[in-house]
Amino acid sequence: MAINLKLGTTAKSDAPKFREREAAYALLLQSLDDRRSKIELGGGESRQKREHDRGKLLARERVTRLLDDGTQFFELGTFAAEGMYADEGGCPAAGTVMGIGRVSGRLCMIVANDATVKAGAWFPITAKKNLRAQEIALENHLPIIYLVDSAGVFLPRQDEIFPDRDHFGRIFRNNAVLSAKGIPQIAAIMGSCVAGGAYLPIMSDEALIVEGTGSVFLAGPFLVKAAIGETVDKEVLGGAVSTTEISGVTDYKVKNDEEALARIRDLVGRYGERPKAGFDRIKAIEPAFPASEIYGIMPVTGAEPYDMEEVLARIIDDGSWNPYKDGYGKTLLTGFARIDGWSVGIVANQRLMVRAKSGSAAQTDEMQAGGVIYSDSANKAARFIMNCNQKRIPLVFIQDVSGFMVGSRAEHGGIIKDGAKMVSAVANSVVPKFTIVVGNSYGAGNYAMCGRAYDPRLMLAWPTARIAVMGGAQAAKTLMQIRSAKLKRSGETLNPDDEQALLDKIRQRYDDQTSPVYAAARLWVDEIIKPELTREWISIGIETANHNPEIPVFNPGIIQT
């Protein structure tokens, strides 16, 4: 007998609250779309025209022509550097287009320099973004394709990008590690490739160079003249003819960008099949309710309650929900489901106030606040995470968490120890993990629900996401109390108007720093996505993870429950 457990109810789309939330979410999406469109202009229309006049395609045009027709490009790091480097005129998308797409039927990581942004120069966040691309390729055994067109390190910030462990040199170290693991790397030199940046394409397994526009050398003509007095142009120094017919540094000479992309597609199309991890997938079934209804269910502020089960019912395959410990630890939803046919284990915060037993059966029930992790919820989640690891089922964490419960009752009940069990289970998990921040992601709740520090294969955010050590209101009040105490010790006081003005200033600054764009700019999350596309993103994430067959055996003994 098949289990067919229904989840969710039909949305009341004509209800005032639904329409209010839907309208508020539409404004959020429009604001993000406007910012995305501006980012995609790169260095601006005049610089784009200059690249076209040189016979070159733009970074996003190159990516589009590289991909299989009719397939989707899952761009990552679109908002990288947004709002940063204002003194240098900004650095849209960190001067790099990056994401996962299909090339000749195979999933690949694609990284393309945007030469319209400071000639493709590398800012500190550019290095971080490129390292993230290599990290995804490494942990998922994805082929990686570099479309190189870069002037190298942005010299005014060389101290922030050159010498440290996760700076520029780590890129080349990763080139070597990827090759050693048998993960293919192809680089197309489609523009400048100078100094340390020259190592990236040449340390790849195969390198192409475009005649007339591509060049690769450790020192350009001006530096050569200054260093040894030799006068030489870039074509003779490291152009297509020099590197393919004299030095042999590159492997293929092509006439233009289009031919380079076609050659890459041909090379990728010849790859042999590799072993897979074998994650379970059956024929997909659409969710019970339209994903677009999430906009009317989900509040745009972190204070309002909503039912996470209604959100899940619009993401998972209809009839696939099998809850784990449904009546226990109710501020966390745990259960098995399918997303686009893939078997997954879901850990999601419940934002409704829920009734739970306060202790023994003889004691009265108590209400637990939504979005807060209590001891029973933490224990339940730790056990569920271990079960998923033993069954080789990928985990999906859906975050809207205010943190762990505080106060004397929670402390006396061992909340720290119970929370540590959950954090330990997440940290030691060996199956692929995916994290979606849909609302609050505060404090240790961020860690327990598989925040960035716990290596999710993808960490994505909805426009309603907020990431910080605590909420803006709480932070402002805490900082205000500290400020008031300091003034009091010195014999000073603030009048109520000044105190409120300072409180508002602190809260505004804090709220700005908790926004999803602020997080995405610093690559704390990989991408801000539309809620209705969550299902597609999780599916491509698991398909990507399935390329790596190296899943260690999980040892439950390391976690004491």
Side-chain angles (χ1 to χ4, degrees), residues 548-561:
N548 183 357
E550 299 173 4
I551 305 296
V553 175
F554 180 68
N555 177 14
I558 57 179
I559 303 167
Q560 296 179 354
T561 57

Side-chain angles (χ1 to χ4, degrees), residues 11-23 292-297:
K12 298 178 180 178
S13 57
D14 58 345
K17 180 62 70 175
F18 185 99
R19 292 200 302 269
E20 178 185 323
R21 289 179 173 179
E22 191 176 42
S292 59
E293 292 181 352
I294 292 173
Y295 300 122
I297 294 168

Side-chain angles (χ1 to χ4, degrees), residues 401-450:
V401 57
S402 302
F404 286 94
M405 188 57 188
V406 298
S408 59
R409 184 172 181 176
E411 300 290 359
H412 295 167
I415 186 65
I416 294 177
K417 185 173 180 60
D418 292 325
K421 293 174 186 175
M422 182 178 175
V423 170
S424 183
V426 175
N428 288 288
S429 181
V430 298
V431 296
K433 306 182 293 283
F434 303 89
T435 302
I436 318 294
V437 185
V438 304
N440 298 334
S441 180
Y442 293 154
N446 170 282
Y447 303 155
M449 292 293 293
C450 196

Side-chain angles (χ1 to χ4, degrees), residues 342-519:
W342 293 104
S343 174
V344 298
I346 292 177
V347 182
N349 301 109
Q350 175 59 286
R351 285 306 306 266
L352 292 177
M353 290 285 289
V354 297
R355 190 172 296 279
K357 294 289 184 182
S358 59
S360 69
Q363 291 178 304
T364 57
D365 292 350
E366 65 174 357
M367 294 302 294
Q368 292 183 343
V372 178
I373 302 175
Y374 291 77
S375 285
D376 54 357
S377 302
N379 273 314
K380 176 175 80 168
R383 176 60 64 183
F384 179 71
I385 290 165
M386 287 192 289
N387 285 350
C388 289
N389 274 272
Q390 290 166 336
K391 297 173 181 177
R392 291 170 65 94
I393 298 175
L395 283 157
V396 176
F397 293 83
I398 301 181
Q399 289 193 8
D400 192 346
V401 57
S402 302
F404 286 94
M405 188 57 188
V406 298
S408 59
R409 184 172 181 176
E411 300 290 359
H412 295 167
I415 186 65
I416 294 177
K417 185 173 180 60
D418 292 325
K421 293 174 186 175
M422 182 178 175
V423 170
S424 183
V426 175
N428 288 288
S429 181
V430 298
V431 296
K433 306 182 293 283
F434 303 89
T435 302
I436 318 294
V437 185
V438 304
N440 298 334
S441 180
Y442 293 154
N446 170 282
Y447 303 155
M449 292 293 293
C450 196
R452 178 62 105 194
Y454 292 79
D455 300 322
R457 296 290 179 98
L458 288 176
M459 186 162 178
L460 308 167
W462 286 3
T464 41
R466 288 162 293 275
I467 302 174
V469 72
M470 64 180 72
Q474 298 94 319
K477 289 176 182 177
T478 301
L479 292 170
M480 192 68 238
Q481 289 172 4
I482 294 170
R483 177 70 181 273
S484 296
K486 184 177 180 181
L487 289 171
K488 188 175 181 180
R489 286 195 300 270
S490 62
E492 301 177 50
T493 58
L494 285 175
N495 64 53
D497 289 342
D498 290 341
E499 183 174 318
Q500 186 60 50
L502 183 57
L503 193 67
D504 291 342
K505 182 179 179 180
I506 294 171
R507 180 169 182 172
Q508 183 59 56
R509 185 186 68 193
Y510 206 86
D511 285 344
D512 290 343
Q513 292 177 353
T514 64
S515 77
V517 172
Y518 191 92

Side-chain angles (χ1 to χ4, degrees), residues 131 161-174:
L131 285 169
I161 187 175
F162 173 71
D164 210 348
R165 177 185 180 275
D166 290 320
H167 282 177
F168 200 49
R170 190 77 173 183
I171 302 286
F172 319 133
R173 176 264 186 193
N174 287 349

Side-chain angles (χ1 to χ4, degrees), residues 10-42:
T10 302
K12 298 178 180 178
S13 57
D14 58 345
K17 180 62 70 175
F18 185 99
R19 292 200 302 269
E20 178 185 323
R21 289 179 173 179
E22 191 176 42
Y25 222 121
L27 290 175
L28 268 183
L29 291 174
Q30 185 59 57
S31 174
L32 281 171
D33 284 345
D34 290 345
R35 295 183 80 159
R36 192 185 302 271
S37 296
K38 186 176 180 181
I39 288 168
E40 290 178 354
L41 286 174

Side-chain angles (χ1 to χ4, degrees), residues 256-285:
N256 49 42
D257 284 7
E258 288 85 351
E259 185 179 335
L261 299 170
R263 183 68 68 92
I264 293 171
R265 288 182 52 79
D266 179 76
L267 292 170
V268 174
R270 298 173 186 270
Y271 291 166
E273 281 296 317
R274 301 290 182 95
K276 298 287 197 296
F279 300 123
D280 184 64
R281 190 181 197 184
I282 63 175
K283 185 178 179 180
I285 300 173

